[in-house]
């Protein structure tokens, strides 16, 4: 499958947002090991940085809240 650049960007954005939603759900659970939380927090931080750098700063507060909860 060959995606256009625009479709690839949209796929990446939606994938990043989906990972964030999963991380937010994990942050509410007590049964997730600390090492998984720590690694996921690092990924959310990286995703936030890329999204904000590319003009999607609307998600910053929500992602930062998820990072803190993790």
């Amino acid at each position: 499958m060959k995606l256009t650049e625009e479709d690839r960007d949209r796929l990446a954005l939606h994938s990043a947002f989906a990972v964030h939603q999963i991380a937010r759900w994990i942050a509410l659970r007590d049964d997730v090991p600390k090492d998984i939380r720590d690694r996921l927090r690092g990924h959310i931080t990286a995703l936030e940085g890329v999204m904000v750098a590319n003009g999607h700063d609307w998600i910053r507060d929500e992602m930062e809240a998820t990072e803190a909860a993790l």
Side-chain angles (χ1 to χ4, degrees):
M1 172 195 299
K2 179 116 171 107
L3 298 173
T4 66
E5 187 175 334
E6 181 182 341
D7 285 342
R8 189 174 49 243
D9 289 351
R10 287 175 51 193
L11 177 61
L13 176 63
H14 286 285
S15 297
F17 193 68
V19 169
H20 170 252
Q21 293 300 311
I22 293 165
R24 193 167 77 171
W25 176 76
I26 286 173
L28 299 173
R29 299 185 56 87
D30 295 330
D31 60 343
V32 178
K34 183 180 180 327
D35 65 316
I36 292 174
R37 286 175 176 276
D38 290 343
R39 290 195 302 186
L40 191 52
R41 185 182 317 111
H43 290 298
I44 294 300
T45 301
L47 287 173
E48 177 194 352
V50 170
M51 290 177 74
V52 169
N54 285 285
H56 295 287
D57 57 350
W58 54 269
I59 192 70
R60 176 183 279 150
D61 292 341
E62 190 173 333
M63 286 188 130
E64 287 177 354
T66 298
E67 291 169 37
L70 286 169

